[in-house]
Amino acid sequence: MRGGLEADAVIDERYQVIAHLGSGGMAEVYCATDLQLGRKVALKVLHERFAADEEFVERFKREASSAAGLQHQHLVAVYDRGEWDGTSYIAMEYVAGKTLKQIVTENGGPIQPDRAADLTVQILRAARFAHRRGVIHRDFKPQNVIVDDEGRAKVTDFGIARAGASDMTQTGSIMGTAQYLSPEQAQGHAVNARSDLYSIGIILYELLTGKVPFEAESAVTIALKQVSEAPIAPSAINPAVTPELEAVVLRALMKDPQERFADADEFIAALEAAASRIPSPAAIAAAEAAAAALPAAAMGAIGPGLMGPPPPVSPPPPLTGVYPVQPPLREVIAEVPPRTPPPGPRRKRWPWLLLGALALIGLILLLLSVFTPERVQVPNVVGSTISVATQRLQNEGFEVVPVRDNSERPRNTVIGQNPQGDTTAEQGSTVTITVSDGPSLTDVPNVIGDGRAEARRKLVAAGFEVEEEAVASDTVKINRVVAQSPDRGSLYEPGKPVTIEVSSGPERLRVPDVTGKTEDEARAALDAFRVVVQEKEDAKADPGTVLDQKPADGTLQRGGTVTLSVAIEPKLIAVPNVVGRSQNLATTLLSGRGFEVAVEEEPVDSPDKDGIVQKQSPEPGGEDVERGSTVTITVGRFDPDLNPEPGTETTTTPSTTTTTPVP
């Protein structure tokens, strides 16, 4: 393929280009019409520079086959793949709408937090569906999420992006969009489902703030920030982000994959819980309307700071937990200057001593009241995740020290705290939280590609139970492992089941009976198969009708060949016998068979023969002749004037010929 495709260009004799939709790092995308099924598709055509790389093309095909098996309401479906003009292409579902990137750009900033949470949950549902089937996206970004006119998010390039290898190359360049890469991906390490969750966390961050957390002039610098820098808290950019929602975002963006959500299910649960506490736009509007309806006198009675902007308040000093060191009481006393007794008679000293003692006691009480830290209630965070617990304690002014311990509770769940929840402690003091490190975990071995017996042996030796699921596969041999859950290298509790998906070979589908249907109807019914048409002359069936099919019934693997025999008009046909029939009937019979009719007349001696065919050429019963050729019929004409009484003179009138065209 040279350059871009022009409108109306036909790809692989099936897809007709309508318009160019966009360009990516690995392919050009076009809107096209499927000429066989009459529907719009998005056609992704691989760049020519990749088409020469056999290994890349093979990965492109393999990942396209994996994505073709993903059918979900939040995934753009993959219909077909093939090769054309020296490159490869993929036909996908065409979704009319805008990408998330376009929505954020057009909005000029963050979108409503509840809407951001809803869109992210839809993306996570698509990720969950694919992860359970062993497919990792590797290139989640707003440009790969399309929102249709009904507000439904659909993820594209699932399984295809993996062929693009969105990670660092040996030269340090990055393929893909660096702003959305996970730290392990930016370092060129192996990725898994949690890498996708990190990228989705960045999408959520951008929806809430209108910007990505890490920006720089070069992709490599951005990748280094992904590895080493902490993001700015979303609430510092958009105050509408609640503490619960911010805690979800920050956990998704943890540098250590083990500190992130364990899977998409946990991410969804945390995000939905946080979203449930976001005030709805309707509730905010109702409160504002109620406030606006209050009379001015009531507003004045309420006072400043409630119905309008609050008066300026000096910010309190930061709570550091460190307070000024006061001089010892002995030094305070020493600083009081000695009293010089006045001249004259000696007075009693005890009243002055009493006043001095009372003043000293008052000073001590004053110092204690000023410099004694305030005691506040310690939140109960047992059962919360480490990120939520840390955020809640810090909001109350406490320092947080986490310690880890193995337990049966999920990893990163708080299982204890000191001081206990609902007690009081000095503001700025330290609260120690005990965080579950999960049970004693073991690495899950890699069994993808192994035979089922070998996979069982490895997993049982590592201490796991084994569950099997049979799945159809066009690329993996029968009885070999296609996918596993949890993924290879995951830390997992011994004794729990590891699910392996074992290939049952190519998917087999029932072959429908299409005899008697038109060719177009048959092709639509056989969409999952390769259709081969053989033409067969048949004078009885309507042209284009399916006369026979092979195989006629049973099952066939997806993409297998079904051969159809389709009726066409015969080229040579027999001439019907019209001698003895009326001229009109003879003309109708011959015209209906596709012949042109020429009519000649000759005199006859009886009125019974008038208008009746006396002979024809070619004669019936001879060889078949070509459709559209001419048949001449001779029709009798009786005229009394041409048959006088015996003995009178007879005049002969020559015969005439007329030709009747085929209607």
Side-chain angles (χ1 to χ4, degrees), residues 161-331:
R162 187 172 183 178
S166 300
D167 49 21
M168 269 197 175
T169 63
Q170 293 179 352
T171 61
S173 63
I174 297 176
M175 298 181 66
T177 308
Q179 288 90 339
Y180 305 93
L181 296 182
S182 64
E184 59 271 21
Q185 202 171 353
Q187 296 176 86
H189 296 164
V191 300
N192 54 28
R194 291 186 177 183
S195 305
D196 278 353
L197 299 186
Y198 182 94
S199 300
I200 297 174
I202 292 186
I203 293 176
L204 176 57
Y205 186 103
E206 185 173 2
L207 294 178
L208 292 171
T209 65
K211 58 180 66 177
V212 292
F214 304 112
E215 280 284 19
E217 294 183 358
S218 70
V220 173
T221 304
I222 296 173
L224 293 175
K225 290 186 175 184
Q226 298 279 22
V227 174
S228 59
E229 288 191 13
I232 298 173
S235 61
I237 303 173
N238 180 10
V241 178
T242 63
E244 294 82 5
L245 191 55
E246 182 171 276
V248 173
V249 178
L250 295 179
R251 182 176 176 189
L253 299 185
M254 297 295 286
K255 305 301 181 186
D256 182 359
Q258 300 301 322
E259 300 291 333
R260 300 173 202 153
F261 295 103
D263 51 32
D265 275 321
E266 187 179 359
F267 198 160
I268 291 172
L271 188 52
E272 288 180 337
S276 67
R277 303 185 66 178
I278 299 173
S280 67
I284 296 173
E288 292 176 349
L294 288 175
M299 294 174 65
I302 293 174
L306 283 178
M307 303 310 297
V313 179
S314 301
L319 298 175
T320 62
V322 179
Y323 302 93
V325 177
Q326 301 304 316
L329 181 59
R330 185 175 303 168
E331 296 181 13

Side-chain angles (χ1 to χ4, degrees), residues 253-479:
L253 299 185
M254 297 295 286
K255 305 301 181 186
D256 182 359
Q258 300 301 322
E259 300 291 333
R260 300 173 202 153
F261 295 103
D263 51 32
D265 275 321
E266 187 179 359
F267 198 160
I268 291 172
L271 188 52
E272 288 180 337
S276 67
R277 303 185 66 178
I278 299 173
S280 67
I284 296 173
E288 292 176 349
L294 288 175
M299 294 174 65
I302 293 174
L306 283 178
M307 303 310 297
V313 179
S314 301
L319 298 175
T320 62
V322 179
Y323 302 93
V325 177
Q326 301 304 316
L329 181 59
R330 185 175 303 168
E331 296 181 13
V332 175
I333 296 174
E335 291 179 0
V336 179
R339 186 176 67 89
T340 304
R346 183 178 180 87
R347 298 181 181 181
K348 295 181 179 180
R349 299 179 56 188
W350 67 267
W352 298 105
L353 293 175
L354 179 59
L355 288 175
L358 291 175
L360 182 60
I361 292 172
L363 178 61
I364 294 172
L365 293 176
L366 178 63
L367 293 174
L368 290 175
S369 66
V370 172
F371 296 109
T372 299
E374 180 186 359
R375 295 185 68 84
V376 296
Q377 188 174 30
V378 180
N380 183 9
V381 295
V382 174
S384 304
T385 61
I386 182 175
S387 55
V388 172
T390 301
Q391 189 68 48
R392 289 186 61 192
L393 291 168
Q394 289 178 345
N395 288 345
E396 298 297 331
F398 295 105
E399 298 290 335
V400 181
V401 175
V403 295
R404 290 191 170 271
D405 194 8
N406 290 112
S407 97
E408 295 300 319
R409 299 293 299 277
R411 181 176 169 81
N412 292 325
T413 301
V414 178
I415 57 177
Q417 68 180 83
N418 185 26
Q420 298 295 322
D422 300 327
T423 61
T424 60
E426 293 180 358
Q427 192 174 44
S429 61
T430 298
V431 176
T432 302
I433 57 174
T434 304
V435 182
S436 173
D437 222 6
S440 179
L441 303 179
T442 302
D443 284 339
V444 178
N446 178 24
V447 296
I448 294 178
D450 291 345
R452 61 191 306 178
E454 175 64 13
R456 277 187 166 276
R457 186 193 65 77
K458 284 184 180 180
L459 292 170
V460 171
F464 301 107
E465 298 289 334
V466 182
E467 293 181 354
E468 286 189 20
E469 292 180 3
V471 295
S473 175
D474 296 331
T475 57
V476 180
K477 294 181 180 179
I478 294 178
N479 288 329

